[in-house]
Amino acid sequence: MISVKNLYHSYNNDKNYQVKNVSFEVNEGEIFGFLGPSGAGKSTTQNILTGLLRIQKGEAIVAGYNVRDMSKEMFNKIGMSFEQSNVYSKLTAKENLDFYRKLFDVPTRDSIELLKLVGLEGKENIKAGNFSKGMKHRLTFARSMINNPKLWFLDEPTTGLDPSIAANIKSIIKEKNREGVTVFLTTHNMFIADELCDRVAFIVDGEIKLIDSPKNLKLQYGDKLVEVEYVKEGEIITEKLSTVLEKDKKSLQNIISRYEIRTMHTKEATLEEIFIKVTGRGLI
Amino acid sequence: MLKRIWIIFLRDLKVNLKDFLSLYIIIVPIIIAILINIFTPSINDTTINLALLKCENQEMIDYLEQFAHIELFDTVEEVKKRVEKRDNIIGILPEAKKHYIMTQGNEPEVIVEYAKLLKTFYELDIKMDDTNAEIIEFGRKVPPLKKTLVNLSILFISILGGMLITLNIIEEKMDNTISAINLTPTTRLTFLIGKSILGIFFSVFGSIALIFITGFREINILKLLLVILISSILSILLGIVQGLTNDDVMNAAGSVKLLFLPLIGGVLAIEMLGDKWQKFFYWDPFYWAYKGNDLVLSGTGTWSELLIYAGIIFILSVIVYVFIAKSIRKGLE
Ligand SMILES: Nc1ncnc2c1ncn2[C@@H]1O[C@H](COP(=O)(O)OP(=O)(O)O)[C@@H](O)[C@H]1O
Ligand SMILES: [Mg+2]
């Protein structure tokens, strides 16, 4: 569904790239996650794939169209929910969707039905300008599936939402995926990535560090993680160390030989811990 | 493409009819028209009002009716009463074999002179068929000031049309919705045309309303449309660029104001400056638009003359487009 090769992007058109040599494939029917801290280049990549940013260097094929000369028809097949909600403040929720619907050439979904789906029933005649941030976000999200997209781009779909609403959004994404929609999802929330994605790419400073399924990653790193609690100069210190990485093995040996160990057990790693291990960076 | 242009236009219309600022702009042509009517005598009023006696000879009444509104009264006393009312009406009353003029004293001199001339023409038996230069000069129905104001207002309305486009584009920018539209099958050109329609409609209907209210009903509307549409191109282009390059309404309004300079300059050149200065204004599209409108408003322009002016305005607009095309493309990304 998506094929990206050696993609680079620099906002200043110089050698200081915000996206560096990014390559990946998204298969039809999967949920592919782009996981990385904010500023990593996730939205930039997504905007190149949807044509919002002009492609500078590299190749990208999206839904069968080369991004370099994409046809406007392509947009009948794709949908995108924006990180920053963007709806007409002066139009009501329903007017927003009704207007957008008419811009497509393919059958579209009923506005009221969509508003219900994202929990905005009863709010259809309120101007979007009077909506809270979360409500606007949901309206933007609802709009992104109005043309029944085959390929669905979601930029931070649950960021800033209440847990219950986020859960609702997650179940909608799962349901759509079950119906066969391919999803490209961008997030800095590893729970979302863990829960939804068939495969994730770890991206930091514009570079992909690794691509794999959360399951594989846990198998690979999970049991090979040791949580050790020890006393150093009268203070209790807790550390998580890998039993595979050379550097961690050395420091584990060091701890065992030099300090008093309180507890020590192997542990199932969370995606976040794996991310930190692999990239040396947190997700914030 | 047409469907999408229409949808985008309808959305703008809906929003503008609910928005204070744009609603205000939309009614401006009507306000201007009313103001022009108040401050300049209307076309129909230029033919002055005369009060005559009913028993006056019919031949004279018929003659004067060609040039003036006639009110008839039974007695000299009634004529006198009528003349004393506030409006400008002049009595022509018989005395011996001739006529004398009765005024209240506060009528504009032109009107009194006009009445005197009419009386004299009648007495000298000058007919319409004998038309000589003098009569044509007087037969000029439209006061020049009024024509100038209406013409200027038509140009002003086209700039306001551009401003309406600016407002609607700024709305899209503030809400960041252009990127959402870019992710539909709507092309950039479709979007821009859709955004322009309201401004064009406004220019056309605003100008026509102005023309009707101020009484220029007999002019050739098709010719007027030609000049309005061609001179709107420039306002539309500039409206779009202002919308795309400004992030708030006040800044944009400030830049649009700069357009009034060439507008006023062109008009003043035509109205005030001598022949040798005219060539310095040939670059100014408003100069040509004003000339074109003038021909249409005075009913003297031929199609070929107007097409030449339209062609010049079009070429000047294309030149402007070449300069701003890059900002438009950039603003849409
Ligand atoms: N319009 C822009 N102009 C210049 N730099 C930008 C722009 N948008 C994003 N950036 C920079 O590019 C980098 C990647 O940003 P982004 O793709 O938005 O990250 P993410 O979506 O992963 O949080 C960041 O360093 C950000 O500051
Ligand atoms: Mg982002």
Side-chain angles (χ1 to χ4, degrees), chain A residues 42-43 83 155-156 186:
Chain A
K42 307 183 294 292
S43 300
E83 182 174 6
D155 198 347
E156 310 274 1
T186 278

Side-chain angles (χ1 to χ4, degrees), chain A residues 175-227:
Chain A
E175 174 57 31
K176 283 268 119 195
N177 179 244
R178 223 171 290 133
E179 289 168 14
V181 175
T182 310
V183 180
F184 181 90
L185 183 151
T186 278
T187 184
H188 65 262
N189 180 324
M190 55 103 187
F191 292 112
I192 303 284
D194 196 359
E195 193 181 337
L196 290 178
C197 297
D198 297 307
R199 289 189 306 141
V200 290
F202 285 177
I203 176 166
V204 170
D205 296 334
E207 284 178 283
I208 291 187
K209 301 289 183 188
L210 159 163
I211 301 177
D212 212 334
S213 67
K215 206 161 132 200
N216 273 348
L217 287 171
K218 283 181 199 160
L219 276 179
Q220 213 173 28
Y221 291 87
D223 295 326
K224 290 156 189 159
L225 205 67
V226 177
E227 190 173 72

Side-chain angles (χ1 to χ4, degrees), chain A residues 54 86 88-89 100 103 105, chain B residues 4 172 175-176 180 182 333:
Chain A
R54 198 191 295 271
N86 53 350
Y88 294 106
S89 321
Y100 205 69
L103 297 176
D105 307 313
Chain B
R4 293 194 180 90
E172 301 261 2
D175 285 337
N176 225 332
N182 277 339
E333 289 197 343

Side-chain angles (χ1 to χ4, degrees), chain A residues 11 18 37-44 83:
Chain A
Y11 281 100
Q18 277 77 43
S38 111
K42 307 183 294 292
S43 300
T44 305
E83 182 174 6

